[in-house]
Amino acid sequence: MTVSPASAPTPVFPGQAAAPEGPCDLTGMYLMHHAFRRDLRRFVEATATTSPGERDRWQAMQRWWRHVDSFLEEHHTKEDEILWPALRARVDAGGAAVLDAMEEEHGRIDPLLLTARDGLEALAAGTGDAARRRETAEAFTALAGLLDTHLAHEERDAVALVQRHLTAAEWATLEKAGLAAKPPPAALLFMLPWVADGLRPVDLAPLLSGPAAAPLRLLMRLGRGRYQRLADRAFAGAR
């Protein structure tokens, strides 16, 4: 089934490859993609310039990466388990090849995530040497390149399938079924400032505008100070 296009927001954030038009509002997905790209750039720089002996900074990076790692794992798992299966029954052979590529790319990202995770753990514990720091920095560099390529492929081709084959109501149903992130309030204290970091108020309006978003705005204010202090420890003010 191909649905007729309608006018849904098509935001384009820094680094984003495309925003295919259609009935589904993918602002939340694009916000996550922007945050992943931004943080991978930070980790590439920070892991390449931090000496193995700077345990306080490695500990801050490890604490930060635990959040991002879990967001990324959840993001990919929900796509593999909810979004791609919803599309498979509707797409042609070319569309199926795109979905196969999405899953294959997720599989190539996973080993780099493990190397990065283990390297940060060792360096934060004070058991990593210069070779481990180099291996960790190389893992983040490879991860940043691979993830950016994957997100661009998703934004151009997989999102085009979403917009072509799903209605706005179906997209909303998938989000309610678990596709959209639903972290507990404690996790939102980090996640909301994290998503907002580097974006303009107009970019965040779909997330934070309206009376229903009042709890999110409150959690954003409550979490911003702690978020910024951890950013300063982990990245020395890098943006």
Side-chain angles (χ1 to χ4, degrees):
M1 178 182 75
T2 300
V3 302
S4 53
S7 108
T10 55
V12 178
F13 301 123
Q16 189 173 319
E21 295 184 357
C24 303
D25 184 355
L26 277 72
T27 301
M29 175 186 287
Y30 295 146
L31 286 169
M32 295 292 286
H33 285 191
H34 172 265
F36 290 141
R37 285 180 168 114
R38 181 203 63 226
D39 272 12
L40 263 296
R41 290 194 300 271
R42 288 171 165 173
F43 272 94
V44 167
E45 179 182 355
T47 55
T49 58
T50 304
S51 71
E54 294 181 72
R55 284 189 62 190
D56 182 71
R57 193 174 187 196
W58 289 111
Q59 288 167 356
M61 281 193 276
Q62 182 193 31
R63 184 177 168 192
W64 190 287
W65 185 248
R66 283 173 179 163
H67 289 290
V68 180
D69 195 7
S70 68
F71 297 157
L72 186 57
E73 182 176 4
E74 182 182 29
H75 185 73
H76 284 174
T77 298
K78 287 181 175 180
E79 288 177 341
D80 289 340
E81 295 181 354
I82 298 174
L83 182 54
W84 310 146
L87 288 169
R88 279 195 182 276
R90 303 186 181 188
V91 300
D92 59 15
V98 171
L99 300 180
D100 289 343
M102 292 295 103
E103 294 181 354
E104 188 272 335
E105 289 165 14
H106 287 177
R108 287 194 285 128
I109 288 168
D110 289 343
L112 291 172
L113 291 173
L114 181 60
T115 301
R117 187 184 306 143
D118 289 348
L120 288 178
E121 181 178 352
L123 289 155
T127 59
D129 56 11
R132 193 60 178 272
R133 188 216 42 96
R134 184 170 56 253
E135 178 188 38
T136 304
E138 289 171 352
F140 273 107
T141 298
L143 180 58
L146 185 56
L147 184 63
D148 184 60
T149 299
H150 166 68
L151 295 178
H153 189 186
E154 183 175 305
E155 289 158 356
R156 284 191 305 265
D157 297 332
V159 169
L161 296 177
V162 170
Q163 299 289 29
R164 190 176 306 134
H165 295 287
L166 296 178
T167 67
E170 288 170 330
W171 178 256
T173 297
L174 289 175
E175 289 191 316
K176 289 179 182 176
L179 186 60
K182 297 183 180 71
L188 283 170
L189 289 171
F190 179 89
M191 188 178 196
L192 288 169
W194 175 76
V195 167
D197 196 351
L199 295 178
R200 304 166 300 168
V202 67
D203 297 324
L204 301 169
L207 176 67
L208 298 175
S209 61
L216 297 183
R217 292 194 296 270
L218 174 61
L219 289 169
M220 173 89 78
R221 288 195 299 272
L222 292 174
R224 188 177 288 121
R226 182 181 298 177
Y227 171 90
Q228 189 57 55
R229 288 190 293 274
L230 184 59
D232 290 341
R233 285 180 58 206
F235 306 117
R239 290 289 176 267

